[in-house]
Amino acid sequence: MAAPASRQVRRRARAAPRPRSAEDWWWDRLAPRGSGYHLLQSDSMLLVLSEPGPARPRAQRRASRRTPRQPPRGPSAAAKPKAGLRSEAAAAPAPAPAPTPTPEEGPDAGWGDRIPLEILVQIFGLLVAADGPMPFLGRAARVCRRWQEAASQPALWHTVTLSSPLVGRPAKGGVKAEKKLLASLEWLMPNRFSQLQRLTLIHWKSQVHPVLKLVGECCPRLTFLKLSGCHGVTADALVMLAKACCQLHSLDLQHSMVESTAVVSFLEEAGSRMRKLWLTYSSQTTAILGALLGSCCPQLQVLEVLRLLNLMWLPKPPGRGVAPGPGFPSLEELCLASSTCNFVSNEVLGRLLHGSPNLRLLDLRGCARITPAGLQDLPCRELEQLHLGLYGTSDRLTLAKEGSPFLTQKWCHTLRELDLSGQGFSEKDLEQALAAFLSTPGGSHPALCSLNLRGTRVTPSTVSSVISGCPGLLYLNLESCRCLPRGLKRAYRGLEEVQWCLEQLLTSPSPS
């Protein structure tokens, strides 16, 4: 009897409740018993999961899987009892009726259906703001009905890019595919894109006019339109879009075949609210620039004219006695860059920028006829980025040898990026120009963080002075600089590489 008694004592000791710790108390507060949730702890996160419905016994699950056999119907199928067994069958009690199965509770719908629709839309909005609506919204709509309802909210579809489905295919197949996609857009525009703000069309060849018509009818909040590689853009489509979308202020027509009459008609209708305009230079761009200079876009902030390699810009001189227009008072960025020399002169630049005091970025790469004297006369006083690099220029004898101090002395307190690559300024002229960053007004450090001196005649002493006087310099290009010692003629990126260049310049002997 001693052995059973000791076993009972052990069982009682094992069954005694252990004291609750602080961790158990927090776990009960986060997921109390009976709440339908339980916690799962991993190395770097704490998951709150919904518990499934009550588990059924294994025998009950097996019984539910088995389908009861139906007894055969008809008089021949009923077996007659034997005569000797009639009395026993009559004396036996009737079998008790089978218990009716109780309806089981369905599984938990899950946390996805418990989140309110407004909160789910806000979560989707954060993801759309980071990565765009596609392909996330298309995939989220396939999860469940609640997610489909949230992904279908027009407020999430504010940025859309529509590319031709058969790019590079034969013309007949591309036209057929565009018509098929157009049929889908007839439903998508009013049901998904009613609050669209930014639209990009890529490589549309034949159905651009119907698409723009749908956009004008269903997207009144459109603010940005980009047509890249599109054909068949007519003046009627652009004018209709300008009248229907009263908030449209940015238009990008680079790499698209659009006639100048269509662009001029659009600017005449919507020019008063245009802020950003991107164009590709062609033989018809002169008419567009003439309309711009005629004060049709007083609020223009960004103007970029992309010049192709096989075209040459020959701006027409103004007529005699023609008074200059008001220009672009709100212009902040102007890009007239090209890979080879063009014919943009100081006179043309002055006509474009004579009324732009708020200019922040000026990109004149490849414009070999622009001189420092012409830039000094510009009305802008707080220029932050100036790009004057010359790439592919063969005739270096015609380049200006002096005048670079005019640039730095005017904008040394605001200039953050300066590109003088390929310019023909002399060693002394560059020394005087870069010395302006060493004596900024008020004793503050200069804002210069990027300096490109590739192919110039800058000396080691000048480079050392610039690095010492500009502690925020993060990019320095010294490739093909003849006056620098070997091993240092390269591009430096980052503060550590720039400081290493300074150490090498201070310790290396000057080249002979």
Side-chain angles (χ1 to χ4, degrees):
M1 298 298 293
S6 61
R7 292 177 181 176
Q8 293 179 359
V9 172
R10 293 177 182 176
R11 292 175 180 174
R12 292 176 182 175
R14 292 176 182 176
R18 63 182 179 86
R20 293 174 53 83
S21 61
E23 183 179 358
D24 296 338
W25 183 84
W26 276 108
W27 280 58
D28 290 343
R29 290 293 300 272
L30 292 175
R33 297 179 180 178
S35 63
Y37 295 92
H38 69 279
L39 301 179
L40 180 62
Q41 187 177 9
S42 62
D43 296 337
S44 60
M45 64 182 67
L46 184 65
L47 303 178
V48 181
L49 304 178
S50 59
E51 296 179 354
R56 295 181 296 175
R58 181 176 298 179
Q60 186 177 358
R61 291 200 300 267
R62 289 179 179 176
S64 61
R65 294 175 185 173
R66 299 173 183 173
T67 57
R69 299 180 179 178
Q70 298 293 338
R73 299 180 180 180
S76 60
K80 297 182 179 180
K82 297 182 180 180
L85 299 178
R86 289 180 181 177
S87 58
E88 297 179 3
T100 58
T102 58
E104 299 178 359
E105 297 180 359
D108 189 6
W111 61 271
D113 289 342
R114 295 183 178 181
I115 297 180
L117 183 62
E118 295 78 5
I119 298 179
L120 195 60
V121 171
Q122 291 184 6
I123 296 174
F124 286 3
L126 296 176
L127 298 174
V128 169
D131 302 328
M134 293 300 291
F136 168 72
L137 292 180
R139 296 172 179 174
R142 303 178 183 179
V143 175
C144 61
R145 294 182 179 179
R146 176 60 63 88
W147 282 40
Q148 182 184 13
E149 184 180 1
S152 302
Q153 299 296 321
L156 298 176
W157 298 87
H158 54 75
T159 303
V160 174
T161 299
L162 300 177
S163 178
S164 181
L166 296 177
V167 178
R169 300 289 183 86
K172 294 183 179 179
V175 172
K176 185 176 180 181
E178 288 184 8
K179 290 182 179 180
K180 185 176 180 180
L181 184 56
L182 181 62
S184 301
L185 291 177
E186 292 179 355
W187 182 88
L188 287 172
M189 286 292 179
N191 294 278
R192 294 290 186 272
F193 302 161
S194 59
Q195 299 185 21
L196 188 64
Q197 298 178 6
R198 300 176 64 88
L199 176 63
T200 301
L201 300 180
I202 302 177
H203 295 294
W204 283 73
K205 305 299 182 183
S206 61
Q207 303 296 325
V208 178
H209 183 80
V211 172
L212 294 181
K213 183 178 180 181
L214 284 175
V215 172
E217 295 175 354
C218 305
C219 306
R221 300 186 179 182
L222 189 70
T223 60
F224 173 85
L225 176 62
K226 180 178 181 180
L227 303 178
S228 179
C230 297
H231 296 179
V233 183
T234 61
D236 296 339
L238 290 180
V239 172
M240 178 270 302
L241 193 65
K243 294 180 178 180
C245 303
C246 299
Q247 300 181 14
L248 182 62
H249 57 70
S250 300
L251 180 63
D252 189 348
L253 299 177
Q254 290 184 351
H255 307 291
S256 294
M257 297 181 63
V258 185
E259 295 184 359
S260 60
T261 55
V263 180
V264 171
S265 300
F266 174 83
L267 294 178
E268 292 176 354
E269 182 65 30
S272 60
R273 61 175 183 268
M274 291 299 296
R275 299 178 184 176
K276 299 180 180 180
L277 182 61
W278 294 268
L279 302 172
T280 298
Y281 179 76
S282 64
S283 58
Q284 302 178 356
T285 311
T286 305
I288 301 176
L289 294 178
L292 292 175
L293 293 175
S295 69
C296 66
C297 300
Q299 299 184 8
L300 195 66
Q301 299 177 0
V302 177
L303 175 60
E304 179 176 341
V305 181
L306 180 64
R307 199 184 74 83
L308 301 180
L309 297 180
N310 57 347
L311 292 176
M312 186 174 295
W313 190 358
L314 295 173
K316 295 181 179 180
R320 296 181 179 180
V322 178
F328 312 103
S330 302
L331 188 65
E332 297 181 359
E333 299 181 11
L334 176 62
C335 178
L336 300 176
S338 61
S339 59
T340 57
C341 296
N342 56 30
F343 288 83
V344 178
S345 60
N346 295 335
E347 182 183 1
V348 175
L349 189 64
R351 289 168 54 196
L352 289 173
L353 299 178
H354 71 91
S356 305
N358 300 322
L359 194 69
R360 297 289 186 272
L361 185 149
L362 182 58
D363 191 349
L364 300 175
R365 285 173 289 185
C367 301
R369 300 183 63 182
I370 298 295
T371 62
L375 294 174
Q376 188 183 18
D377 297 335
L378 297 180
C380 49
R381 296 293 178 182
E382 297 182 355
L383 193 66
E384 298 179 359
Q385 301 181 35
L386 178 60
H387 301 276
L388 298 176
L390 301 178
Y391 303 91
T393 303
S394 58
D395 188 9
R396 300 181 61 88
L397 299 177
T398 59
L399 299 179
K401 303 297 188 296
E402 299 178 353
S404 59
F406 296 153
L407 308 178
T408 55
Q409 292 174 3
K410 182 177 183 178
W411 297 306
C412 62
H413 60 289
T414 59
L415 209 56
R416 296 173 53 250
E417 298 183 12
L418 178 60
D419 182 4
L420 298 177
S421 59
Q423 292 287 348
F425 301 118
S426 62
E427 297 92 330
K428 185 177 180 180
D429 196 76
L430 286 174
E431 182 180 359
Q432 297 176 358
L434 297 178
F437 294 103
L438 307 180
S439 58
T440 55
S444 59
H445 294 294
L448 188 66
C449 60
S450 176
L451 179 61
N452 191 347
L453 300 174
R454 180 180 181 273
T456 60
R457 302 185 60 85
V458 65
T459 59
S461 59
T462 303
V463 176
S464 302
S465 302
V466 171
I467 297 177
S468 303
C470 301
L473 192 62
L474 300 177
Y475 176 78
L476 178 63
N477 193 343
L478 301 177
E479 296 177 354
S480 304
C481 294
R482 299 180 179 180
C483 301
L484 297 181
R486 296 180 178 179
L488 299 180
K489 302 176 184 180
R490 65 182 186 89
Y492 300 89
R493 296 174 176 85
L495 185 60
E496 296 181 359
E497 293 188 5
V498 173
Q499 293 299 323
W500 180 86
C501 176
L502 176 61
E503 296 176 359
Q504 297 299 318
L505 288 174
L506 295 178
T507 57
S508 301
S510 59
S512 57

mmCIF file of all heavy atoms in Angstrom, residues 449-483:
data_model
loop_
_atom_site.group_PDB
_atom_site.id
_atom_site.type_symbol
_atom_site.label_atom_id
_atom_site.label_comp_id
_atom_site.label_asym_id
_atom_site.label_seq_id
_atom_site.Cartn_x
_atom_site.Cartn_y
_atom_site.Cartn_z
ATOM 1 N N CYS A 449 28.389 71.155 -53.181
ATOM 2 C CA CYS A 449 28.517 69.738 -52.851
ATOM 3 C C CYS A 449 28.887 68.888 -54.061
ATOM 4 O O CYS A 449 29.172 67.697 -53.897
ATOM 5 C CB CYS A 449 27.224 69.207 -52.222
ATOM 6 S SG CYS A 449 25.769 69.354 -53.266
ATOM 7 N N SER A 450 28.874 69.445 -55.264
ATOM 8 C CA SER A 450 29.236 68.698 -56.469
ATOM 9 C C SER A 450 29.996 69.629 -57.408
ATOM 10 O O SER A 450 29.512 70.717 -57.738
ATOM 11 C CB SER A 450 27.984 68.143 -57.161
ATOM 12 O OG SER A 450 28.322 67.504 -58.375
ATOM 13 N N LEU A 451 31.194 69.194 -57.846
ATOM 14 C CA LEU A 451 32.047 70.009 -58.711
ATOM 15 C C LEU A 451 32.645 69.108 -59.781
ATOM 16 O O LEU A 451 33.313 68.111 -59.481
ATOM 17 C CB LEU A 451 33.158 70.683 -57.899
ATOM 18 C CG LEU A 451 34.149 71.566 -58.666
ATOM 19 C CD1 LEU A 451 33.417 72.716 -59.337
ATOM 20 C CD2 LEU A 451 35.241 72.091 -57.738
ATOM 21 N N ASN A 452 32.385 69.445 -61.042
ATOM 22 C CA ASN A 452 32.885 68.676 -62.174
ATOM 23 C C ASN A 452 33.880 69.545 -62.945
ATOM 24 O O ASN A 452 33.504 70.520 -63.588
ATOM 25 C CB ASN A 452 31.731 68.247 -63.081
ATOM 26 C CG ASN A 452 32.151 67.231 -64.127
ATOM 27 O OD1 ASN A 452 33.338 67.006 -64.351
ATOM 28 N ND2 ASN A 452 31.178 66.620 -64.777
ATOM 29 N N LEU A 453 35.172 69.167 -62.870
ATOM 30 C CA LEU A 453 36.250 69.889 -63.551
ATOM 31 C C LEU A 453 36.924 68.996 -64.577
ATOM 32 O O LEU A 453 38.111 69.175 -64.876
ATOM 33 C CB LEU A 453 37.276 70.391 -62.531
ATOM 34 C CG LEU A 453 36.747 71.357 -61.470
ATOM 35 C CD1 LEU A 453 37.828 71.655 -60.447
ATOM 36 C CD2 LEU A 453 36.263 72.646 -62.120
ATOM 37 N N ARG A 454 36.212 68.075 -65.129
ATOM 38 C CA ARG A 454 36.797 67.108 -66.061
ATOM 39 C C ARG A 454 37.334 67.821 -67.313
ATOM 40 O O ARG A 454 36.634 68.612 -67.942
ATOM 41 C CB ARG A 454 35.734 66.093 -66.467
ATOM 42 C CG ARG A 454 36.217 65.035 -67.431
ATOM 43 C CD ARG A 454 35.081 64.081 -67.776
ATOM 44 N NE ARG A 454 35.518 63.042 -68.687
ATOM 45 C CZ ARG A 454 35.536 63.151 -70.009
ATOM 46 N NH1 ARG A 454 35.128 64.277 -70.571
ATOM 47 N NH2 ARG A 454 35.963 62.159 -70.763
ATOM 48 N N GLY A 455 38.591 67.529 -67.662
ATOM 49 C CA GLY A 455 39.189 68.072 -68.873
ATOM 50 C C GLY A 455 39.585 69.526 -68.798
ATOM 51 O O GLY A 455 39.867 70.128 -69.843
ATOM 52 N N THR A 456 39.622 70.130 -67.613
ATOM 53 C CA THR A 456 40.010 71.534 -67.477
ATOM 54 C C THR A 456 41.486 71.633 -67.090
ATOM 55 O O THR A 456 42.159 70.633 -66.823
ATOM 56 C CB THR A 456 39.137 72.228 -66.427
ATOM 57 O OG1 THR A 456 39.318 71.570 -65.156
ATOM 58 C CG2 THR A 456 37.672 72.151 -66.818
ATOM 59 N N ARG A 457 41.999 72.864 -67.009
ATOM 60 C CA ARG A 457 43.400 73.125 -66.673
ATOM 61 C C ARG A 457 43.537 73.545 -65.211
ATOM 62 O O ARG A 457 44.310 74.451 -64.878
ATOM 63 C CB ARG A 457 43.973 74.194 -67.596
ATOM 64 C CG ARG A 457 43.899 73.841 -69.074
ATOM 65 C CD ARG A 457 44.590 74.882 -69.936
ATOM 66 N NE ARG A 457 45.990 75.025 -69.596
ATOM 67 C CZ ARG A 457 46.971 74.261 -70.075
ATOM 68 N NH1 ARG A 457 46.668 73.273 -70.925
ATOM 69 N NH2 ARG A 457 48.223 74.463 -69.731
ATOM 70 N N VAL A 458 42.815 72.904 -64.335
ATOM 71 C CA VAL A 458 42.877 73.224 -62.919
ATOM 72 C C VAL A 458 44.178 72.684 -62.339
ATOM 73 O O VAL A 458 44.683 71.630 -62.743
ATOM 74 C CB VAL A 458 41.649 72.635 -62.190
ATOM 75 C CG1 VAL A 458 41.645 71.119 -62.234
ATOM 76 C CG2 VAL A 458 41.580 73.144 -60.761
ATOM 77 N N THR A 459 44.758 73.406 -61.379
ATOM 78 C CA THR A 459 46.042 73.049 -60.773
ATOM 79 C C THR A 459 45.831 72.370 -59.426
ATOM 80 O O THR A 459 44.763 72.508 -58.812
ATOM 81 C CB THR A 459 46.898 74.307 -60.593
ATOM 82 O OG1 THR A 459 46.192 75.228 -59.753
ATOM 83 C CG2 THR A 459 47.166 74.962 -61.949
ATOM 84 N N PRO A 460 46.854 71.648 -58.912
ATOM 85 C CA PRO A 460 46.709 70.991 -57.601
ATOM 86 C C PRO A 460 46.443 71.967 -56.465
ATOM 87 O O PRO A 460 45.664 71.665 -55.554
ATOM 88 C CB PRO A 460 48.057 70.270 -57.429
ATOM 89 C CG PRO A 460 48.565 70.061 -58.812
ATOM 90 C CD PRO A 460 48.100 71.255 -59.592
ATOM 91 N N SER A 461 47.073 73.123 -56.476
ATOM 92 C CA SER A 461 46.840 74.086 -55.400
ATOM 93 C C SER A 461 45.401 74.591 -55.400
ATOM 94 O O SER A 461 44.799 74.794 -54.335
ATOM 95 C CB SER A 461 47.810 75.260 -55.539
ATOM 96 O OG SER A 461 47.646 75.901 -56.805
ATOM 97 N N THR A 462 44.850 74.779 -56.579
ATOM 98 C CA THR A 462 43.457 75.227 -56.654
ATOM 99 C C THR A 462 42.502 74.167 -56.139
ATOM 100 O O THR A 462 41.557 74.468 -55.392
ATOM 101 C CB THR A 462 43.101 75.589 -58.102
ATOM 102 O OG1 THR A 462 43.999 76.585 -58.580
ATOM 103 C CG2 THR A 462 41.684 76.104 -58.193
ATOM 104 N N VAL A 463 42.740 72.899 -56.486
ATOM 105 C CA VAL A 463 41.876 71.815 -56.017
ATOM 106 C C VAL A 463 41.984 71.672 -54.503
ATOM 107 O O VAL A 463 40.982 71.474 -53.801
ATOM 108 C CB VAL A 463 42.246 70.502 -56.725
ATOM 109 C CG1 VAL A 463 41.406 69.352 -56.168
ATOM 110 C CG2 VAL A 463 42.018 70.623 -58.220
ATOM 111 N N SER A 464 43.189 71.779 -53.965
ATOM 112 C CA SER A 464 43.368 71.673 -52.508
ATOM 113 C C SER A 464 42.621 72.790 -51.781
ATOM 114 O O SER A 464 41.999 72.559 -50.736
ATOM 115 C CB SER A 464 44.863 71.731 -52.172
ATOM 116 O OG SER A 464 45.566 70.702 -52.833
ATOM 117 N N SER A 465 42.664 73.979 -52.334
ATOM 118 C CA SER A 465 41.966 75.098 -51.682
ATOM 119 C C SER A 465 40.453 74.894 -51.711
ATOM 120 O O SER A 465 39.761 75.196 -50.726
ATOM 121 C CB SER A 465 42.334 76.410 -52.376
ATOM 122 O OG SER A 465 43.723 76.637 -52.359
ATOM 123 N N VAL A 466 39.933 74.370 -52.817
ATOM 124 C CA VAL A 466 38.486 74.152 -52.907
ATOM 125 C C VAL A 466 38.039 73.087 -51.921
ATOM 126 O O VAL A 466 37.025 73.238 -51.226
ATOM 127 C CB VAL A 466 38.109 73.766 -54.351
ATOM 128 C CG1 VAL A 466 36.658 73.322 -54.419
ATOM 129 C CG2 VAL A 466 38.334 74.938 -55.280
ATOM 130 N N ILE A 467 38.788 71.983 -51.823
ATOM 131 C CA ILE A 467 38.400 70.916 -50.891
ATOM 132 C C ILE A 467 38.476 71.402 -49.448
ATOM 133 O O ILE A 467 37.611 71.105 -48.624
ATOM 134 C CB ILE A 467 39.299 69.684 -51.098
ATOM 135 C CG1 ILE A 467 39.108 69.127 -52.514
ATOM 136 C CG2 ILE A 467 38.978 68.607 -50.072
ATOM 137 C CD1 ILE A 467 40.013 67.949 -52.831
ATOM 138 N N SER A 468 39.488 72.191 -49.125
ATOM 139 C CA SER A 468 39.622 72.695 -47.751
ATOM 140 C C SER A 468 38.537 73.703 -47.417
ATOM 141 O O SER A 468 38.055 73.757 -46.277
ATOM 142 C CB SER A 468 41.007 73.324 -47.562
ATOM 143 O OG SER A 468 42.040 72.402 -47.856
ATOM 144 N N GLY A 469 38.115 74.502 -48.391
ATOM 145 C CA GLY A 469 37.113 75.530 -48.113
ATOM 146 C C GLY A 469 35.686 75.080 -48.253
ATOM 147 O O GLY A 469 34.775 75.827 -47.870
ATOM 148 N N CYS A 470 35.466 73.883 -48.801
ATOM 149 C CA CYS A 470 34.100 73.361 -48.982
ATOM 150 C C CYS A 470 33.975 72.035 -48.245
ATOM 151 O O CYS A 470 34.180 70.955 -48.840
ATOM 152 C CB CYS A 470 33.777 73.184 -50.460
ATOM 153 S SG CYS A 470 33.890 74.694 -51.439
ATOM 154 N N PRO A 471 33.675 72.049 -46.958
ATOM 155 C CA PRO A 471 33.598 70.790 -46.195
ATOM 156 C C PRO A 471 32.439 69.894 -46.610
ATOM 157 O O PRO A 471 32.454 68.700 -46.295
ATOM 158 C CB PRO A 471 33.441 71.265 -44.752
ATOM 159 C CG PRO A 471 32.846 72.629 -44.862
ATOM 160 C CD PRO A 471 33.410 73.218 -46.117
ATOM 161 N N GLY A 472 31.473 70.417 -47.318
ATOM 162 C CA GLY A 472 30.336 69.600 -47.746
ATOM 163 C C GLY A 472 30.481 69.019 -49.137
ATOM 164 O O GLY A 472 29.501 68.485 -49.680
ATOM 165 N N LEU A 473 31.664 69.089 -49.728
ATOM 166 C CA LEU A 473 31.879 68.586 -51.084
ATOM 167 C C LEU A 473 31.834 67.062 -51.080
ATOM 168 O O LEU A 473 32.634 66.397 -50.411
ATOM 169 C CB LEU A 473 33.231 69.069 -51.611
ATOM 170 C CG LEU A 473 33.499 68.874 -53.102
ATOM 171 C CD1 LEU A 473 32.501 69.654 -53.925
ATOM 172 C CD2 LEU A 473 34.928 69.289 -53.452
ATOM 173 N N LEU A 474 30.895 66.491 -51.855
ATOM 174 C CA LEU A 474 30.688 65.045 -51.894
ATOM 175 C C LEU A 474 31.006 64.434 -53.248
ATOM 176 O O LEU A 474 31.073 63.209 -53.345
ATOM 177 C CB LEU A 474 29.230 64.713 -51.521
ATOM 178 C CG LEU A 474 28.763 65.163 -50.147
ATOM 179 C CD1 LEU A 474 27.285 64.820 -49.954
ATOM 180 C CD2 LEU A 474 29.605 64.540 -49.047
ATOM 181 N N TYR A 475 31.173 65.227 -54.269
ATOM 182 C CA TYR A 475 31.506 64.710 -55.604
ATOM 183 C C TYR A 475 32.498 65.652 -56.249
ATOM 184 O O TYR A 475 32.291 66.871 -56.306
ATOM 185 C CB TYR A 475 30.253 64.588 -56.474
ATOM 186 C CG TYR A 475 30.543 64.150 -57.891
ATOM 187 C CD1 TYR A 475 30.806 62.819 -58.188
ATOM 188 C CD2 TYR A 475 30.580 65.075 -58.930
ATOM 189 C CE1 TYR A 475 31.090 62.414 -59.491
ATOM 190 C CE2 TYR A 475 30.855 64.683 -60.229
ATOM 191 C CZ TYR A 475 31.115 63.357 -60.500
ATOM 192 O OH TYR A 475 31.402 62.960 -61.781
ATOM 193 N N LEU A 476 33.598 65.073 -56.760
ATOM 194 C CA LEU A 476 34.645 65.853 -57.409
ATOM 195 C C LEU A 476 35.177 65.041 -58.575
ATOM 196 O O LEU A 476 35.682 63.927 -58.394
ATOM 197 C CB LEU A 476 35.771 66.176 -56.421
ATOM 198 C CG LEU A 476 36.964 66.959 -56.979
ATOM 199 C CD1 LEU A 476 36.527 68.330 -57.468
ATOM 200 C CD2 LEU A 476 38.051 67.098 -55.913
ATOM 201 N N ASN A 477 35.077 65.584 -59.780
ATOM 202 C CA ASN A 477 35.525 64.897 -60.995
ATOM 203 C C ASN A 477 36.762 65.612 -61.530
ATOM 204 O O ASN A 477 36.697 66.777 -61.942
ATOM 205 C CB ASN A 477 34.416 64.884 -62.046
ATOM 206 C CG ASN A 477 34.709 63.927 -63.189
ATOM 207 O OD1 ASN A 477 35.844 63.499 -63.384
ATOM 208 N ND2 ASN A 477 33.685 63.575 -63.942
ATOM 209 N N LEU A 478 37.890 64.874 -61.515
ATOM 210 C CA LEU A 478 39.163 65.418 -61.982
ATOM 211 C C LEU A 478 39.720 64.593 -63.135
ATOM 212 O O LEU A 478 40.945 64.556 -63.340
ATOM 213 C CB LEU A 478 40.177 65.452 -60.829
ATOM 214 C CG LEU A 478 39.781 66.281 -59.602
ATOM 215 C CD1 LEU A 478 40.835 66.172 -58.525
ATOM 216 C CD2 LEU A 478 39.570 67.742 -59.985
ATOM 217 N N GLU A 479 38.874 63.954 -63.900
ATOM 218 C CA GLU A 479 39.349 63.133 -65.006
ATOM 219 C C GLU A 479 39.934 64.023 -66.117
ATOM 220 O O GLU A 479 39.399 65.092 -66.406
ATOM 221 C CB GLU A 479 38.200 62.295 -65.565
ATOM 222 C CG GLU A 479 37.636 61.285 -64.580
ATOM 223 C CD GLU A 479 36.454 60.524 -65.152
ATOM 224 O OE1 GLU A 479 36.020 60.886 -66.272
ATOM 225 O OE2 GLU A 479 35.962 59.595 -64.498
ATOM 226 N N SER A 480 41.018 63.538 -66.720
ATOM 227 C CA SER A 480 41.656 64.192 -67.878
ATOM 228 C C SER A 480 42.120 65.611 -67.581
ATOM 229 O O SER A 480 42.166 66.454 -68.480
ATOM 230 C CB SER A 480 40.688 64.198 -69.083
ATOM 231 O OG SER A 480 40.264 62.885 -69.398
ATOM 232 N N CYS A 481 42.469 65.881 -66.331
ATOM 233 C CA CYS A 481 43.024 67.194 -65.972
ATOM 234 C C CYS A 481 44.545 67.139 -66.157
ATOM 235 O O CYS A 481 45.244 66.445 -65.406
ATOM 236 C CB CYS A 481 42.662 67.563 -64.536
ATOM 237 S SG CYS A 481 40.903 67.837 -64.287
ATOM 238 N N ARG A 482 45.072 67.850 -67.118
ATOM 239 C CA ARG A 482 46.471 67.728 -67.485
ATOM 240 C C ARG A 482 47.424 68.219 -66.406
ATOM 241 O O ARG A 482 48.549 67.722 -66.286
ATOM 242 C CB ARG A 482 46.734 68.506 -68.774
ATOM 243 C CG ARG A 482 45.942 68.007 -69.972
ATOM 244 C CD ARG A 482 46.260 68.817 -71.209
ATOM 245 N NE ARG A 482 45.518 68.340 -72.373
ATOM 246 C CZ ARG A 482 45.628 68.883 -73.593
ATOM 247 N NH1 ARG A 482 46.438 69.914 -73.781
ATOM 248 N NH2 ARG A 482 44.922 68.381 -74.596
ATOM 249 N N CYS A 483 47.010 69.179 -65.638
ATOM 250 C CA CYS A 483 47.912 69.792 -64.667
ATOM 251 C C CYS A 483 48.003 69.026 -63.355
ATOM 252 O O CYS A 483 48.752 69.446 -62.458
ATOM 253 C CB CYS A 483 47.490 71.234 -64.386
ATOM 254 S SG CYS A 483 47.482 72.293 -65.843
#
